[in-house]
Amino acid sequence: MDGETGVVAEGKVDLKDLSFPMLLAALEPLGFDRLRATRLYKWIWKKNVRDFERMTDITGPLRRKLAARYTISALGSAGVFLSEDGTTKYLWRTHDGYLIESVLIPDGERLTLCVSTQVGCAMACTFCLTGDLGLKRNLLPGEIADQPLQVSLGLPPDQRITNIVMMGMGEPLHNYENLVIALDLYLNQDALNFSHRKVTVSTVGLVPAMRRLVAETQVNLAVSLNATTEAQRAEVMPITRRYSLAELMAACRELPLRHRKRITFEYVMMAGFNDSLEDAARLAELLTGVRAKINLIPYNENPEREIRRPDEAAVRRFHTFLLDRGFCTSVRHTRGRDISAACGQLGGPDALARRLRRSRDSVGGVS
Ligand code: SAH
């Protein structure tokens, strides 16, 4: 799939798939210097201009050279769904007809966008509906970076996205090359200009790629742990057979995290499976000595799985156990369940079909 990067119809390269160094290297032979390339970058990422002719501070001959070789893509909207709790789900159609999703979650001062990195997912975690799709394809850098751009454009002037979490459809580290280009687009001040402190990549635990990410970027890392023994984790997360829990935890201890950084451990709580105090005690033991934050996610129930969400008392008991032992622990409140935008509900086949029917009536609008 990597060979496809940056190439779209008519053999033209999509400028949205290029980091700034890549753009500069590609355009220098056409007569662009750093200043002109920066202007072009700003037209694309700051002003959302896709027609070269509108780029008035670039000379006519250069504009024509660009138009002959390059294109600037955009995700098409396939529907916007507003939840009762203020969460908004954006459904996008890719140029080859796939549907992907982003979820915008307001929370006090924060406005967090959860973005997708693949169409479907190959990790096949048993509890997660995205896994049912299998992996269709990797998203290209421009498709990953266009999600916050398109969402921002539709926000009222007094609102802006404050945080990006790569916790939508897909396994970000299974699409590593495209991911790091997209991160570059998020962080570049002439593109989307997010602080690395506000961007989080979440993974099932692809150990070598985790090491690379921490060495090559400064963004935050989240690990979906979800279980506390090898057997328990392998039962729900097949990746455990490739990278064991022991190997994952050893890597987490050794990662050269920068000053003050901590790894977030996500722990999806499933009734009768991993929600007992014995589980909590094992979790505390696993994370002792790790610079960790724990995020408990009570399971979001769905018609496709028998799995149940623990009752509130069980979640509270588990939470309190960890707090009492000094772990920085939070419980993720479910958001957007009524529009199938909650964790693990993205891309579920029925949900997608339902939404598709609804989106025919609401393309481009808030339904
Ligand atoms: N593949 C990456 C990015 C996706 S993040 C990763 O797994 O980290 C999606 C998060 O939602 C993961 O932490 C996953 O464990 C969690 N999740 C999946 N299905 C869920 C469900 N039904 N209820 C609650 N959380 C779920």
Side-chain angles (χ1 to χ4, degrees):
M1 214 121 332
D2 286 345
E4 275 176 28
T5 303
V7 181
V8 295
E10 302 163 43
K12 290 186 181 175
V13 171
D14 183 0
L15 289 179
K16 276 201 175 154
D17 288 330
L18 307 184
S19 65
F20 188 76
M22 290 162 77
L23 181 93
L24 194 56
L27 298 188
E28 261 168 354
L30 299 191
F32 278 77
D33 55 11
R34 179 171 285 274
L35 178 72
R36 290 190 179 86
T38 303
R39 284 183 188 153
L40 173 59
Y41 220 47
K42 286 183 175 172
W43 282 111
I44 299 172
W45 292 109
K46 298 273 187 222
K47 299 178 197 148
N48 193 38
V49 168
R50 298 172 52 213
D51 175 358
F52 295 112
E53 280 310 302
R54 288 182 52 204
M55 301 180 176
T56 46
D57 57 3
I58 297 176
T59 64
L62 283 183
R63 291 203 301 262
R64 282 187 285 281
K65 282 190 204 171
L66 285 175
R69 296 170 177 80
Y70 295 100
T71 175
I72 301 169
S73 70
L75 288 169
S77 174
V80 180
F81 305 92
L82 187 61
S83 163
E84 286 159 6
D85 64 19
T87 303
T88 309
K89 180 161 61 186
Y90 298 82
L91 196 58
W92 312 108
R93 198 183 309 281
T94 63
H95 67 89
D96 51 352
Y98 287 115
L99 291 173
I100 57 159
E101 315 185 291
S102 323
V103 182
L104 187 66
I105 309 153
D107 185 12
E109 300 279 280
R110 280 201 225 162
L111 189 56
T112 301
L113 188 70
C114 177
V115 302
S116 295
T117 53
Q118 295 181 313
V119 183
C121 186
M123 298 299 118
C125 301
T126 57
F127 50 85
C128 178
L129 296 189
T130 305
D132 293 359
L133 291 171
L135 176 63
K136 303 297 183 197
R137 73 165 170 86
N138 283 330
L139 289 181
L140 297 170
E143 293 170 323
I144 300 173
D146 216 22
Q147 297 171 59
L149 177 62
Q150 299 299 330
V151 169
S152 299
L153 292 167
L155 292 178
D158 59 334
Q159 281 185 28
R160 53 180 202 87
I161 299 168
T162 60
N163 297 65
I164 296 183
V165 294
M166 312 196 87
M167 298 182 184
M169 294 168 81
E171 166 53 41
L173 297 185
H174 190 214
N175 183 15
Y176 190 85
E177 305 300 332
N178 292 343
L179 174 77
V180 289
I181 298 172
L183 290 175
D184 202 77
L185 295 165
Y186 287 173
L187 303 185
N188 190 306
Q189 59 175 4
D190 296 320
L192 296 173
N193 194 25
F194 283 92
S195 157
H196 60 85
R197 290 184 200 85
K198 304 292 185 180
V199 178
T200 302
V201 172
S202 181
T203 178
V204 294
L206 302 185
V207 171
M210 282 167 57
R211 292 208 181 93
R212 263 186 90 183
L213 185 81
V214 170
E216 293 173 9
T217 76
Q218 295 196 63
V219 297
N220 303 308
L221 183 65
V223 174
S224 295
L225 198 58
N226 299 341
T228 53
T229 69
E230 299 287 353
Q232 187 190 37
R233 193 165 193 265
E235 191 180 329
V236 291
M237 300 183 73
I239 195 66
T240 311
R241 288 183 215 121
R242 179 107 162 263
Y243 303 109
S244 69
L245 183 58
E247 193 180 347
L248 174 61
M249 294 315 301
C252 289
R253 279 169 208 285
E254 288 155 16
L255 285 174
L257 298 175
R258 282 178 184 75
H259 186 53
R260 282 174 31 205
K261 281 233 178 190
R262 288 196 254 184
I263 302 174
T264 299
F265 290 89
E266 295 154 281
Y267 189 90
V268 178
M269 295 184 70
M270 300 176 243
F273 176 72
N274 64 357
D275 63 339
S276 71
L277 283 184
E278 290 79 66
D279 291 293
R282 278 197 302 266
L283 182 58
E285 198 170 319
L286 269 183
L287 296 182
T288 298
V290 181
R291 279 156 67 180
K293 282 190 272 194
I294 304 171
N295 194 201
L296 302 174
I297 316 174
Y299 188 72
N300 294 311
E301 295 179 5
N302 56 74
E304 269 113 314
R305 296 288 189 281
E306 302 272 282
I307 304 167
R308 292 287 153 256
R309 153 193 293 252
D311 58 35
E312 267 179 48
V315 175
R316 210 174 314 123
R317 217 174 27 181
F318 202 100
H319 188 191
T320 307
F321 183 97
L322 294 167
L323 288 176
D324 287 349
R325 276 146 195 85
F327 288 97
C328 169
T329 313
S330 57
V331 179
R332 191 183 296 173
H333 297 289
T334 302
R335 308 293 301 268
R337 246 196 304 183
D338 55 328
I339 54 168
S340 296
C343 300
Q345 296 189 318
L346 302 185
D350 284 1
L352 269 184
R354 266 197 309 278
R355 267 173 264 141
L356 206 62
R357 280 197 294 278
R358 285 175 60 191
S359 70
R360 283 202 201 108
D361 310 321
S362 66
V363 173
V366 173
S367 72

